[in-house]
């Protein structure tokens, strides 16, 4: 829903009313108890906090031009401790989506969006290199597309563990652990794309849906009993958001 299309009244600020309309969350429930402040990771490194953000909105400030809009990591700690259950995991993506629609996105984030759209990963690396880490794993890491048979576990490796040097070390260690445990597993390799959860939380719902549909198409080509992930974003996306796009896996 476009924020500008919401019919407003004069009981609260326009922007506050708009946020409620697109997120389903009423920020006026916040009574400034401050429990969110000590659990916010960004609060510890700067002049920021969920309570301050809520005050800005309640005062009628339009966050679409406010750099604080992009500081929230959507970790959910504030929601976990909030006695009124004000949920920024629904509020922030709704506001950010409108900022994306209006082109008010930081240059660095816009660059990440472009890389995700072009290559399927935020690093902008070639999909053909997605399984290169496995050459130094010390154990076989089969590609499900080359096996020609069902497997027990489809291992979704994720972006960081596919491309970043430190992440690739974690992927190799995981491969050795699964091999030592006798797990019948395989990976998608070049067919895998970013789970898209971070893009969704950053307001790019269209990009999320594109990546999700590409992954769902890849998943649907093969037979396996379960998916194993190393990334909490992938777990959240597959469990809570892919089903509305037709994914019925586990």
């Amino acid at each position: 829903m476009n924020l500008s299309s919401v019919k407003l009244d004069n009981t609260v600020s326009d922007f506050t009313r708009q946020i409620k309309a697109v997120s389903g969350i009423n920020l006026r429930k916040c009574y400034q108890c401050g429990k969110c402040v000590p659990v916010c990771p960004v609060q510890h490194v700067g002049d920021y906090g969920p309570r301050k953000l809520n005050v800005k909105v309640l005062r009628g400030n339009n966050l679409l031009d406010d750099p604080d809009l992009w500081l929230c990591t959507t970790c959910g700690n504030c929601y976990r401790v909030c006695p009124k259950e004000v949920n920024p995991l629904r509020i922030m993506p709704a506001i950010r989506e409108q900022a994306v629609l209006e082109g008010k996105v930081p240059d660095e984030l816009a660059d990440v969006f472009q890389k995700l759209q072009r290559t399927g990963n935020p690093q902008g690396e070639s999909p053909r290199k997605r399984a290169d880490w496995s050459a130094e794993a010390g154990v076989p890491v089969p590609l499900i597309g080359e096996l020609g048979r069902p497997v027990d576990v489809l291992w979704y490796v994720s972006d960081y563990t596919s491309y970043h040097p430190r992440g690739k070390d974690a992927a190799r260690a995981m491969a050795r652990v699964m091999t030592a445990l006798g797990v019948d597993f395989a990976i998608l390799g070049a067919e895998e794309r970013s789970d898209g959860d971070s893009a969704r939380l950053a307001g790019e719902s269209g990009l999320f849906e594109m990546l999700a549909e590409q992954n769902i198409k890849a998943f649907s080509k093969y037979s396996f009993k379960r998916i194993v992930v190393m990334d909490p974003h992938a777990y959240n996306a597959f469990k809570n958001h892919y089903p509305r796009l037709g994914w019925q896996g586990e």
Side-chain angles (χ1 to χ4, degrees), residues 13-34:
S13 72
D14 288 358
F15 195 66
T16 303
R17 180 66 184 275
Q18 291 166 348
I19 289 175
K20 181 179 179 181
V22 296
S23 71
I25 299 294
N26 185 359
L27 274 177
R28 290 172 67 84
K29 292 167 60 179
C30 171
Y31 51 54
Q32 296 290 297
C33 67

Side-chain angles (χ1 to χ4, degrees), residues 69-91:
L69 173 62
W70 306 101
L71 295 180
C72 173
T73 66
T74 60
C75 68
N77 278 347
C78 51
Y79 177 53
R80 176 175 55 84
V81 302
C82 179
K84 301 297 288 183
E85 297 185 343
V86 177
N87 187 359
L89 296 181
R90 291 170 63 182
I91 296 169

Side-chain angles (χ1 to χ4, degrees), residues 58-76:
L58 292 172
R59 287 174 176 169
N61 294 19
N62 190 325
L63 293 183
L64 299 183
D65 297 306
D66 192 325
D68 280 2
L69 173 62
W70 306 101
L71 295 180
C72 173
T73 66
T74 60
C75 68

Side-chain angles (χ1 to χ4, degrees), residues 160-182:
Y160 182 82
T161 32
S162 293
Y163 293 113
H164 191 278
R166 189 166 55 185
K168 289 190 285 188
D169 286 342
R172 294 175 187 124
M174 182 67 169
R176 292 192 291 269
V177 168
M178 287 200 288
T179 300
L181 293 174

Side-chain angles (χ1 to χ4, degrees), residues 140-159:
V141 181
L143 296 172
I144 194 168
E146 297 178 356
L147 278 181
R149 64 171 180 83
V151 295
D152 289 337
V153 170
L154 177 64
W155 173 21
Y156 178 84
V157 183
S158 295
D159 303 317

